[in-house]
Amino acid sequence: MRYLPLTNADRQAMLANIGAADIDALFVDVPDAARRDGTVDLPRHQGEMQVERQLSAMAGKNMTASTVPFFCGAGAYKHHVPATVDHIIQRSEFLTSYTPYQPEITQGTLQYLFEFQTQVSELTGMPVANASMYDGSTATAEAVLMAHRVTRKSRAVLSGRLHPHYTAVIENLSEMGGFALAQPDMAPQGAEDLLALIDDDTSCVVVQNPDFFGNVTDFTTLAAAVQAKGCLLIVAVPEVVSLGLLKRPGDMGADIVTGEGQSIGGGLNFGGPYVGLFAARDKYIRQMPGRLCGETVDADGQRGFVLTLSTREQHIRRDKATSNICTNSGLCSLAFTAHMTLLGGKGMRQLAELNHARAVQLADALGAVKGVEVLTPAFFNEFSVKLPANAAQIVDALADKGVLGGVPVSRLAPHAGLDDVLVVAATEANTENDVAAFAAALTEVLS
Amino acid sequence: MSEKQTFTGNRGLQLEEALIFEIGSFENCGVDLEDVPQVESRLGDCAAQGDIDLPGLSEPEAMRHFVRLSQKNHAIDAGLYPLGSCTMKHNPRLNEKMARLPGFADIHPLQPQSTVQGALELMDSLAHWLKTLTGMPEVALSPKAGAHGELCGMMAIRAAIEAKGELAARTRVLVPESAHGTNPATAALLGFKVDGIPADASGRVDLAAFKEKLGDDVAAIMLTNPNTCGLFERDIIEIADALHEAGGYFYCDGANFNAIVGRVRPGDLGVDAMHINLHKTFSTPHGGGGPGSGPTVLSERLAPFAPLPYVEKGEDGLRLVENNGDAAHNPFGRMVAFHGQMGMYVRALSYMMSHGADGLRQVAEDAVLNANYILASLKDVMSAPFEGPCMHEALFDDGWMKDTGIDTLDFAKAMIDEGYHPMTMYFPLVVHGAMLIEPTETESKAALDLFIATMRDLVRGAKEGEVERFKNAPELAPRRRLDETLAARSPVLRWQSPEAKQAAE
């Protein structure tokens, strides 16, 4: 077997050295009732070519984003990732390294984590960011738990325009952890009175920008009002490219900012792995979840980096830890940092402008289709449209025509009464021809 | 070794590298983007004011920056990485190639299910392999990492207890003192009281102490098997039976599944829930700390509570159930947006198909053989706290270091100068100055022999008073020992321009 270096002669020599009669002697502690002779009922080993053939056959059954006019978003976005990025993350020294617990021989990982933290801090407008979380949804749920810790309260108010999966993850964790929630009904537009839902036990208000329907909002006034009531404002940013063009959550006064970093450096990957962003105000550093990388010096006085403030974490604090999280999304944060480094601030701005421009073109094109109404007055690269029929059925009909035309709200929120609403996204990966093809296909499907 | 000082601070091929923020410029960009079409902005009142204060690098500069950084890392591709409990095995490149097939990498989690039948087939196949290898009827694929899988398993247990109306009564979770820190952290997150169980003289759960702790208020036990001392829990079936008798559930931490895969099925041990670290047993890369993936297998009793989403066979192909349960399913909720770590599913399945049932059994056997070879080859000079064969990792304590003037940390740092990544140190907590060595099955006998010879020479040096070899170590790594106290006392967690620093002072 190609992954196993030991030869049978090696095995015999090693057993002799150990003083074991055979391999079974090393499994002597396994109870008789659980011992199995022979192999489990699965296929035997195969060569590379055979495995590749079978997996390629599975992959071949899927319609890939790059081969069709593609407009799905809703928390996962199709962007171009420079070839350099994938090469960098496949460097053996990054790919096959462990968590940097021995800083003397993992400065590579530690330095890029420090660079990652700086970039996330700058993009969100927050003083500190951690070394990444699993994804945007779990980062947001962790932010809610952190707000409970900071304020010693146990109830969260969620915007009705939070991504329904983010809501579901927070709901699950809240229910299991004994925390309460309040959330207005989901509506694609119009004002939400979140302040009215705050009570004495409320720790935080969670909003999203751009929100699930694509609306962009300046939360400056809300932040001040929420804080006046002794609560934290958490702003979730599922499309990080938007930070290239929108007012930063930190500048709006947010206390915690979470985000999904997949758009920078990451592919669609059918939903994972992605990379959660987590940033906060300085004074909350010691209540933050996840790993933090900090600057220090070595015994010769040279600058170096280490994982720090680990007394918050489970391997030290056990049941008193700020979170049970051990893993972060190391390699995805490297991809983020490499891509962001290639872009720089100037490239990030231009990338965001391209996304916005393409979305404006798309809104104009779809808005011109008979029976279609664009619902989102102010947006970044994603917006909602009201269709004259069931949006899920229309999306299926579009797929039959080779167009992946957005995400029906009912896919994520079947009980919201928004069966005719479709969320569509456009990015720099779309051409003007894609936009025209989408409008034409939609016209056909609706006629 | 030359003490020669250089102008650059570089030492031959070992190159110093500054931060992006010190070498990049705002004018630089390593991506050629299209011109932006002229449109009327629809950003409303939300448009940014001012530039994004981040430098860029051209492509050659960026490549050089990250390649230089990479050269400061130890990696499994470069050498033995014997971190106990972490299973640093070879990461096959076929896995990487398969995960990058556009049919897996370039599909959106919410495009119509009819257009991703191959992806659902992959998830279904992975589930089949995991269920068969563990002898368990259900698996929740979506947890993002090991600790997330633990959370998933404990949530399923909590849901089952709640369904029986016993939530108010069952408040205690038993956790052995040798457990990973994630176990008590997870139990506490769900509102359970953590109650420790001591180990016995053989390094295993003290069966009598465990039985005394059982009662109507026990929700579950969280037990790692093989345990963190690298030992198989001999009484595991008796523990499971007694626990079930008392109405509790058995959570098994599956971090050490690599020792038994293909040979022992957790389902035969009475386990109710167990997470599987795809990044340990099934060779997906650790990537400097993630992404992981922690699918969690569930017993018959917990299967109905498996979280959303899950794949089922429908009339016209496979179907991903994302929102509601049905008669047979009462999902406890959702762990994560979308469907989990698809990229890791592909890699793990590619690995399993390569090894097959026969190869996976050999994996466990070689992993255990390699660890025992190390144990047998070092126990005459180092001190092993427990008798008998180990499983996939060999545990030593610091008893042998008494009077040498060095401690476990010093020993580990001296290993770095010899070109090795140190073993896991000071864990498990039940052993003083613990050194936990997990070689994995992907090390050759020659690699182990050199490692053993190196360890024996270090031990000899320690015992013969070569204190400086340890206290000053590492001297040959990209950095010497780093001041962790300074880092924690006044945390510097991001780069700041000299001007901003000055302004802050």
Side-chain angles (χ1 to χ4, degrees):
Chain A
M1 206 292 147
R2 63 187 183 276
Y3 304 149
L4 298 176
L6 296 186
T7 64
N8 278 332
D10 290 336
R11 292 182 182 115
Q12 290 314 315
M14 290 162 75
L15 283 169
N17 183 287
I18 294 163
D22 55 22
I23 190 71
D24 290 338
L26 300 180
F27 286 85
V28 64
D29 292 325
V30 178
D32 288 342
R35 291 199 193 172
R36 297 174 55 83
D37 294 326
T39 57
V40 290
D41 186 18
L42 288 165
R44 287 174 56 79
H45 68 271
Q46 300 181 79
E48 274 204 6
M49 220 166 46
Q50 289 71 27
V51 173
E52 186 165 348
R53 198 174 286 145
Q54 291 166 65
L55 290 177
S56 297
M58 282 186 211
K61 292 177 188 170
N62 304 322
M63 190 186 282
T64 58
S66 296
T67 56
V68 294
F70 177 87
F71 299 92
C72 299
Y77 301 86
K78 167 75 184 165
H79 291 285
H80 174 74
V81 179
T84 305
V85 173
D86 194 42
H87 178 84
I88 288 170
I89 67 168
Q90 287 200 70
R91 289 281 308 186
S92 285
E93 301 90 331
F94 289 135
L95 185 75
T96 75
S97 187
Y98 194 70
T99 304
Y101 288 133
Q102 297 289 339
E104 299 89 348
I105 46 172
T106 45
Q107 282 298 303
T109 297
L110 287 159
Q111 185 169 331
Y112 83 64
L113 289 177
F114 188 79
E115 293 173 340
F116 172 82
Q117 288 175 184
T118 304
Q119 288 171 334
V120 173
S121 160
E122 193 59 42
L123 286 169
T124 55
M126 303 298 284
V128 288
N130 76 8
S132 82
M133 311 284 285
Y134 301 141
D135 76 336
S137 68
T138 50
T140 308
E142 286 282 344
V144 170
L145 297 183
M146 176 171 146
H148 293 343
R149 284 195 299 275
V150 167
T151 60
R152 297 170 196 268
K153 295 175 186 174
S154 62
R155 180 173 171 274
V157 171
L158 311 183
S159 160
R161 290 201 278 271
L162 187 60
H163 190 293
H165 281 176
Y166 286 39
T167 297
V169 173
I170 296 169
E171 255 171 14
N172 182 43
L173 211 49
S174 298
E175 192 191 316
M176 294 278 181
F179 304 118
L181 290 178
Q183 188 178 33
D185 287 343
M186 194 179 219
Q189 55 188 332
E192 278 189 319
D193 191 0
L194 298 174
L195 288 175
L197 293 174
I198 293 177
D199 69 7
D200 288 347
D201 192 38
T202 302
S203 76
C204 60
V205 171
V206 186
V207 294
Q208 178 175 320
N209 202 39
D211 69 30
F212 176 65
F213 295 96
N215 303 284
V216 293
T217 311
D218 183 347
F219 290 113
T220 306
T221 313
L222 180 71
V226 164
Q227 286 149 7
K229 287 176 175 268
C231 303
L232 308 190
L233 182 71
I234 298 169
V235 179
V237 183
E239 167 54 301
V240 66
V241 173
S242 70
L243 294 175
L245 204 48
L246 297 184
K247 197 177 280 185
R248 302 184 301 177
D251 295 337
M252 296 177 188
D255 294 286
I256 306 174
V257 180
T258 61
E260 174 52 70
Q262 169 266 328
S263 287
I264 299 294
L268 287 168
N269 287 317
F270 202 47
Y274 289 175
V275 52
L277 313 181
F278 196 105
R281 289 173 183 268
D282 265 329
K283 59 181 172 183
Y284 302 136
I285 289 178
R286 284 166 209 276
Q287 292 295 336
M288 280 172 78
R291 293 179 185 143
L292 289 166
C293 172
E295 184 184 319
T296 187
V297 294
D298 77 353
D300 290 338
Q302 282 196 292
R303 179 172 70 184
F305 303 93
V306 291
L307 292 181
T308 190
L309 299 176
S310 56
T311 47
R312 301 163 297 119
E313 292 185 69
Q314 47 75 28
H315 62 282
I316 310 282
R317 291 277 281 169
R318 300 176 79 83
D319 56 326
K320 307 280 193 307
T322 57
S323 159
N324 80 328
I325 288 179
C326 178
T327 307
N328 63 3
S329 293
L331 209 60
C332 303
S333 56
L334 173 60
F336 181 101
T337 293
H339 191 179
M340 187 57 68
T341 299
L342 287 163
L343 285 168
K346 209 171 160 188
M348 180 68 170
R349 170 64 47 85
Q350 191 178 342
L351 176 65
E353 284 172 346
L354 272 170
N355 274 257
H356 184 57
R358 201 62 86 211
V360 168
Q361 291 174 333
L362 180 67
D364 288 345
L366 296 186
V369 174
K370 191 163 172 274
V372 176
E373 182 192 348
V374 176
L375 296 176
T376 320
F379 58 83
F380 170 61
N381 70 351
E382 185 164 30
F383 56 88
S384 301
V385 292
K386 191 171 164 138
L387 299 175
N390 182 290
Q393 286 169 9
I394 289 171
V395 164
D396 286 343
L398 287 168
D400 289 343
K401 292 182 175 298
V403 173
L404 291 173
V407 178
V409 172
S410 63
R411 172 89 184 251
L412 296 111
H415 310 299
L418 298 171
D419 291 358
D420 55 352
V421 179
L422 179 67
V423 178
V424 294
T427 71
E428 82 287 355
N430 293 118
T431 62
E432 290 184 11
N433 285 342
D434 288 342
V435 171
F438 186 8
L442 185 60
T443 306
E444 264 182 58
V445 166
L446 292 180
S447 63
Chain B
M1 182 59 56
S2 168
E3 293 293 319
K4 181 175 179 178
Q5 296 300 311
T6 59
F7 173 72
T8 52
N10 297 333
R11 296 184 72 78
L13 294 181
Q14 185 60 250
L15 302 166
E16 288 298 312
E17 181 65 7
L19 291 160
I20 301 160
F21 317 103
E22 296 160 338
I23 53 177
S25 96
F26 183 76
E27 292 306 315
N28 252 337
C29 185
V31 186
D32 290 323
L33 295 160
E34 281 176 70
D35 294 334
V36 180
Q38 288 302 310
V39 297
E40 198 178 323
S41 164
R42 307 255 176 105
L43 297 171
D45 60 358
C46 218
Q49 320 290 324
D51 291 328
I52 303 161
D53 190 16
L54 286 173
L57 293 175
S58 65
E59 185 175 312
E61 292 172 297
M63 185 61 91
R64 197 168 276 173
H65 175 71
F66 288 105
V67 168
R68 285 179 175 186
L69 288 190
S70 76
Q71 290 170 339
K72 300 176 195 304
N73 267 6
H74 186 74
I76 186 68
D77 281 351
L80 206 147
Y81 213 131
L83 267 177
S85 212
C86 301
T87 314
M88 294 299 287
K89 62 167 72 176
H90 170 64
N91 303 147
R93 289 314 191 278
L94 176 65
N95 303 353
E96 297 301 311
K97 186 178 179 189
M98 294 300 94
R100 285 170 173 78
L101 290 171
F104 297 133
D106 192 32
I107 54 174
H108 190 281
L110 298 174
Q111 65 187 66
Q113 295 191 8
S114 60
T115 66
V116 289
Q117 285 294 302
L120 300 183
E121 187 182 334
L122 184 125
M123 289 169 72
D124 194 49
S125 301
L126 176 72
H128 175 71
W129 277 79
L130 294 176
K131 288 188 287 191
T132 308
L133 286 168
T134 55
M136 305 279 275
E138 183 63 270
V139 60
L141 292 180
S142 69
K144 291 267 183 183
H148 208 221
E150 271 176 46
L151 190 58
C152 174
M154 290 303 289
M155 282 178 167
I157 287 171
R158 192 182 179 282
I161 291 173
E162 189 171 21
K164 286 199 285 189
E166 295 179 353
L167 199 54
R170 295 194 180 270
T171 54
R172 224 160 24 105
V173 169
L174 306 179
V175 181
E177 286 161 0
S178 60
H180 295 113
T182 49
N183 293 175
T186 298
L189 188 57
L190 298 180
F192 291 115
K193 261 201 313 270
V194 176
D195 192 0
I197 321 172
D200 66 13
S202 79
R204 296 169 174 88
V205 167
D206 184 325
L207 189 62
F210 161 74
K211 285 187 173 170
E212 254 170 51
K213 296 234 178 215
L214 283 178
D216 294 345
D217 63 337
V218 169
I221 187 172
M222 296 182 81
L223 181 63
T224 308
N225 187 53
N227 70 22
T228 58
C229 299
L231 304 170
F232 199 94
E233 291 283 352
R234 290 180 198 125
D235 299 324
I236 191 162
I237 293 177
E238 204 176 336
I239 289 171
D241 288 347
L243 178 72
H244 289 151
E245 181 87 4
Y249 291 85
F250 183 179
Y251 185 82
C252 183
D253 182 325
N256 295 338
F257 190 48
N258 201 51
I260 57 173
V261 60
R263 266 195 83 106
V264 179
R265 301 186 309 174
D268 295 334
L269 304 172
V271 168
D272 289 304
M274 183 182 90
H275 78 264
I276 298 163
N277 305 80
L278 296 186
H279 49 287
K280 293 182 180 174
T281 309
F282 297 111
S283 82
T284 76
H286 281 79
S293 183
T296 302
V297 289
L298 300 169
S299 67
E300 205 75 59
R301 306 196 301 158
L302 295 182
F305 305 101
L308 297 165
Y310 54 87
V311 177
E312 64 177 24
K313 290 191 172 64
E315 278 169 23
D316 30 308
L318 294 166
R319 199 164 74 89
L320 188 70
V321 180
E322 294 170 287
N323 291 299
N324 298 308
D326 53 35
H329 297 92
N330 182 19
F332 68 69
R334 173 177 277 280
M335 299 288 300
V336 70
F338 312 126
H339 331 310
Q341 308 284 59
M342 179 67 171
M344 301 298 133
Y345 304 162
V346 180
R347 288 172 175 87
L349 186 61
S350 161
Y351 175 80
M352 289 187 213
M353 290 168 69
S354 295
H355 264 306
D358 51 333
L360 288 171
R361 188 181 169 96
Q362 192 69 53
V363 162
E365 293 178 356
D366 284 1
V368 169
L369 180 61
N370 279 356
N372 276 284
Y373 185 61
I374 287 175
L375 181 63
S377 305
L378 293 178
K379 69 179 175 190
D380 61 325
V381 293
M382 294 171 71
S383 41
F386 305 116
E387 288 293 315
C390 62
M391 298 301 286
H392 64 306
E393 50 195 356
L395 177 63
F396 298 94
D397 61 26
D398 61 1
W400 69 269
M401 287 183 199
K402 196 166 172 288
D403 304 327
T404 61
I406 69 157
D407 59 19
T408 295
L409 182 72
D410 299 326
F411 189 83
K413 297 302 184 191
M415 287 171 71
I416 291 176
D417 280 336
E418 298 290 346
Y420 288 105
H421 193 286
M423 64 267 135
T424 292
M425 298 179 290
Y426 301 107
F427 181 86
L429 307 177
V430 293
V431 168
H432 199 269
M435 288 167 271
L436 187 63
I437 301 173
E438 180 180 6
T440 84
E441 73 282 3
T442 59
E443 294 303 325
S444 68
K445 180 170 179 295
L448 295 179
D449 285 336
L450 182 57
F451 176 72
I452 288 162
T454 308
M455 294 289 276
R456 292 185 72 90
D457 188 67
L458 284 167
V459 171
R460 179 202 54 74
K463 289 180 178 173
E464 290 177 5
E466 297 172 7
V467 177
E468 288 194 354
R469 181 176 174 189
F470 298 88
K471 286 291 177 195
N472 291 339
E475 296 185 81
L476 307 175
R479 284 290 178 272
R480 308 271 317 274
R481 284 194 212 188
L482 290 128
D483 189 343
E484 304 200 11
T485 313
L486 173 71
R489 196 173 54 223
S490 37
V492 177
L493 306 178
R494 59 156 291 173
W495 180 81
Q496 282 192 313
S497 66
E499 300 80 47
K501 257 189 198 164
Q502 207 163 27
E505 277 162 12

